[in-house]
Coordinates of all heavy atoms in Angstrom, one line a residue:
T6 N 25.5 3.3 3.8 CA 24.7 4.1 4.8 C 23.7 3.2 5.5 O 23.5 3.4 6.7 CB 23.9 5.2 4.0 OG1 24.8 6.0 3.3 CG2 23.1 6.0 4.9
Y7 N 23.2 2.2 4.8 CA 22.2 1.3 5.5 C 22.9 0.0 5.9 O 23.7 -0.6 5.2 CB 21.1 0.9 4.5 CG 20.2 2.0 4.1 CD1 20.5 3.0 3.3 CD2 18.9 2.0 4.6 CE1 19.7 4.0 2.9 CE2 18.0 3.0 4.3 CZ 18.4 4.0 3.5 OH 17.5 5.0 3.1
E8 N 22.6 -0.4 7.2 CA 23.2 -1.6 7.7 C 22.1 -2.5 8.3 O 21.3 -2.1 9.1 CB 24.2 -1.2 8.9 CG 24.9 -2.4 9.5 CD 26.0 -1.9 10.4 OE1 27.0 -1.4 10.0 OE2 25.7 -2.1 11.7
P9 N 21.9 -3.7 7.7 CA 20.9 -4.6 8.2 C 21.1 -4.9 9.6 O 22.2 -5.3 10.0 CB 21.0 -5.8 7.3 CG 21.9 -5.4 6.2 CD 22.7 -4.3 6.6
I10 N 20.0 -4.7 10.4 CA 20.1 -5.1 11.9 C 19.5 -6.5 12.0 O 20.1 -7.4 12.7 CB 19.3 -4.1 12.7 CG1 20.0 -2.7 12.7 CG2 19.2 -4.6 14.2 CD1 19.2 -1.6 13.3
A11 N 18.4 -6.8 11.4 CA 17.7 -8.1 11.5 C 16.7 -8.3 10.3 O 16.2 -7.3 9.8 CB 17.0 -8.2 12.8
F23 N 11.2 -7.0 16.5 CA 12.6 -6.7 16.4 C 13.0 -6.2 17.8 O 12.5 -5.2 18.2 CB 13.0 -5.7 15.4 CG 12.6 -6.2 14.0 CD1 11.4 -5.8 13.4 CD2 13.6 -6.9 13.3 CE1 11.1 -6.3 12.1 CE2 13.3 -7.4 12.0 CZ 12.1 -7.0 11.4
I26 N 17.3 -3.4 19.8 CA 17.8 -2.5 18.8 C 18.8 -1.6 19.4 O 18.6 -0.8 20.3 CB 16.6 -1.6 18.2 CG1 15.6 -2.5 17.6 CG2 17.1 -0.6 17.2 CD1 14.3 -1.8 17.2
Y30 N 22.7 4.1 15.7 CA 22.4 4.7 14.4 C 21.7 6.0 14.5 O 21.2 6.4 15.6 CB 21.6 3.8 13.6 CG 22.2 2.4 13.4 CD1 21.8 1.3 14.2 CD2 23.1 2.2 12.4 CE1 22.4 0.1 14.1 CE2 23.7 0.9 12.3 CZ 23.3 -0.1 13.1 OH 23.9 -1.4 13.0
T31 N 21.6 6.8 13.5 CA 20.9 8.1 13.6 C 19.4 7.9 13.3 O 18.6 8.5 14.0 CB 21.4 9.1 12.5 OG1 21.3 8.6 11.2 CG2 22.8 9.5 12.8
D32 N 19.0 6.9 12.5 CA 17.7 6.7 12.1 C 17.5 5.2 11.8 O 18.5 4.4 11.7 CB 17.3 7.4 10.8 CG 17.5 8.9 11.0 OD1 16.9 9.6 11.8 OD2 18.4 9.4 10.2
L33 N 16.2 4.7 11.7 CA 15.9 3.3 11.3 C 15.1 3.3 10.1 O 14.3 4.3 9.8 CB 15.2 2.6 12.5 CG 15.9 2.5 13.8 CD1 14.9 1.9 14.8 CD2 17.1 1.6 13.7
R34 N 15.1 2.2 9.3 CA 14.2 2.0 8.2 C 13.7 0.5 8.4 O 14.5 -0.4 8.4 CB 14.9 2.2 6.9 CG 13.9 1.7 5.7 CD 14.4 2.0 4.4 NE 13.8 3.4 4.1 CZ 13.9 3.9 2.9 NH1 14.4 3.3 1.9 NH2 13.4 5.1 2.7
L35 N 12.4 0.4 8.4 CA 11.8 -0.9 8.4 C 11.1 -1.2 7.0 O 10.4 -0.3 6.5 CB 10.7 -1.0 9.5 CG 9.8 -2.2 9.6 CD1 10.7 -3.5 9.9 CD2 8.7 -2.1 10.6
V36 N 11.5 -2.3 6.4 CA 11.0 -2.6 5.1 C 10.2 -3.9 5.2 O 10.8 -4.9 5.6 CB 12.1 -2.7 4.0 CG1 11.5 -3.2 2.7 CG2 12.8 -1.4 3.9
I37 N 9.0 -4.0 4.7 CA 8.2 -5.2 4.7 C 7.6 -5.4 3.3 O 7.0 -4.5 2.7 CB 7.0 -5.0 5.7 CG1 7.5 -4.7 7.1 CG2 6.1 -6.3 5.7 CD1 6.5 -4.3 8.1
I49 N 2.4 -1.3 13.5 CA 3.6 -1.3 14.3 C 3.5 -0.6 15.6 O 2.7 0.4 15.7 CB 4.9 -0.8 13.5 CG1 4.8 0.6 13.1 CG2 5.2 -1.7 12.3 CD1 6.1 1.2 12.6
F97 N 4.4 -3.5 -0.8 CA 5.7 -3.0 -0.2 C 5.4 -1.9 0.8 O 4.6 -1.0 0.5 CB 6.5 -2.4 -1.4 CG 7.7 -1.7 -0.9 CD1 8.9 -2.4 -0.6 CD2 7.7 -0.3 -0.8 CE1 10.0 -1.7 -0.1 CE2 8.8 0.4 -0.3 CZ 10.0 -0.3 0.0
Y98 N 6.0 -2.0 1.9 CA 5.9 -1.0 3.0 C 7.2 -0.6 3.5 O 8.1 -1.5 3.7 CB 5.0 -1.5 4.2 CG 3.8 -2.2 3.7 CD1 3.6 -3.6 3.7 CD2 2.6 -1.4 3.4 CE1 2.5 -4.2 3.3 CE2 1.5 -2.0 3.0 CZ 1.4 -3.4 2.9 OH 0.2 -4.0 2.6
S99 N 7.4 0.7 3.7 CA 8.7 1.1 4.4 C 8.3 2.2 5.4 O 7.4 3.0 5.2 CB 9.7 1.6 3.4 OG 9.3 2.8 2.8
V100 N 9.0 2.2 6.5 CA 8.9 3.2 7.5 C 10.2 3.7 7.9 O 11.1 2.9 8.3 CB 8.2 2.5 8.8 CG1 8.0 3.6 9.9 CG2 6.9 1.9 8.5
D101 N 10.4 5.0 7.7 CA 11.6 5.7 8.2 C 11.3 6.3 9.5 O 10.4 7.1 9.7 CB 12.1 6.7 7.2 CG 12.6 6.1 5.9 OD1 13.5 5.3 6.0 OD2 12.1 6.5 4.8
I102 N 12.1 5.9 10.5 CA 11.9 6.4 11.9 C 13.1 7.3 12.2 O 14.3 6.8 12.3 CB 11.8 5.2 12.9 CG1 10.7 4.3 12.4 CG2 11.6 5.8 14.3 CD1 10.8 2.9 13.0
F103 N 12.9 8.6 12.4 CA 13.9 9.5 12.6 C 14.3 9.7 14.1 O 13.4 9.7 14.9 CB 13.5 10.9 12.0 CG 13.0 10.7 10.6 CD1 11.7 10.8 10.2 CD2 14.0 10.5 9.6 CE1 11.3 10.7 8.9 CE2 13.6 10.3 8.2 CZ 12.2 10.4 7.9
Y105 N 15.5 7.9 16.4 CA 14.9 6.9 17.2 C 15.5 6.7 18.6 O 14.8 6.3 19.5 CB 14.9 5.5 16.5 CG 16.2 4.9 16.5 CD1 16.5 3.8 17.4 CD2 17.2 5.3 15.7 CE1 17.7 3.2 17.4 CE2 18.5 4.7 15.7 CZ 18.7 3.7 16.6 OH 20.0 3.1 16.7
L114 N 8.0 8.5 8.5 CA 7.5 8.6 7.2 C 7.1 7.2 6.8 O 7.9 6.3 6.7 CB 8.5 9.2 6.2 CG 8.0 9.3 4.8 CD1 6.8 10.2 4.6 CD2 9.2 9.8 3.9
L115 N 5.8 7.0 6.5 CA 5.3 5.6 6.2 C 4.9 5.6 4.7 O 4.2 6.6 4.2 CB 4.1 5.3 7.0 CG 4.3 5.2 8.5 CD1 4.5 6.5 9.2 CD2 3.0 4.5 9.1
V116 N 5.3 4.6 4.0 CA 5.0 4.5 2.6 C 4.5 3.1 2.3 O 5.0 2.1 2.8 CB 6.3 4.7 1.7 CG1 6.1 4.4 0.3 CG2 6.9 6.1 1.9
I143 N 10.6 -3.0 18.1 CA 9.5 -2.7 17.2 C 8.7 -4.0 17.0 O 9.3 -5.0 16.7 CB 10.0 -2.2 15.8 CG1 10.8 -0.9 16.0 CG2 8.9 -2.0 14.9 CD1 11.5 -0.5 14.7
A156 N 10.5 -9.2 6.4 CA 10.7 -7.9 7.0 C 12.2 -7.7 7.4 O 12.8 -8.6 8.0 CB 9.8 -7.8 8.3
T157 N 12.7 -6.5 7.1 CA 14.1 -6.2 7.4 C 14.1 -4.9 8.1 O 13.5 -3.9 7.6 CB 15.0 -6.2 6.1 OG1 14.9 -7.4 5.5 CG2 16.4 -5.9 6.5
L158 N 14.9 -4.8 9.2 CA 15.1 -3.6 9.9 C 16.6 -3.1 9.6 O 17.5 -3.9 9.8 CB 14.9 -3.8 11.4 CG 15.2 -2.5 12.3 CD1 14.1 -1.4 12.0 CD2 15.1 -2.9 13.7
Y159 N 16.7 -1.9 9.2 CA 18.0 -1.3 8.8 C 18.3 -0.2 9.8 O 17.5 0.6 10.2 CB 18.0 -0.7 7.4 CG 17.8 -1.7 6.3 CD1 16.6 -2.0 5.8 CD2 18.9 -2.4 5.7 CE1 16.4 -2.9 4.8 CE2 18.7 -3.3 4.7 CZ 17.5 -3.5 4.3 OH 17.3 -4.4 3.2
G160 N 19.6 -0.1 10.2 CA 20.1 1.1 10.9 C 20.7 2.0 9.9 O 21.4 1.6 8.9
I161 N 20.5 3.3 10.0 CA 21.0 4.3 9.1 C 22.1 5.0 9.8 O 21.9 5.6 10.9 CB 19.9 5.3 8.6 CG1 18.8 4.5 7.9 CG2 20.6 6.3 7.7 CD1 17.7 5.3 7.4
K162 N 23.3 5.0 9.2 CA 24.5 5.7 9.8 C 24.4 7.1 9.5 O 23.6 7.6 8.7 CB 25.8 5.1 9.2 CG 26.0 3.7 9.5 CD 27.3 3.2 8.8 CE 27.5 1.7 9.1 NZ 28.8 1.3 8.4

Side-chain angles (χ1 to χ4, degrees):
T6 303
Y7 289 75
E8 185 172 286
I10 296 173
F23 295 96
I26 299 170
Y30 303 99
T31 59
D32 307 297
L33 297 174
R34 173 172 270 192
L35 175 62
V36 176
I37 302 170
I49 63 172
F97 169 84
Y98 311 101
S99 70
V100 181
D101 289 306
I102 306 159
F103 307 106
Y105 75 101
L114 176 62
L115 297 71
V116 174
I143 299 174
T157 303
L158 180 65
Y159 296 92
I161 301 175
K162 297 179 181 180

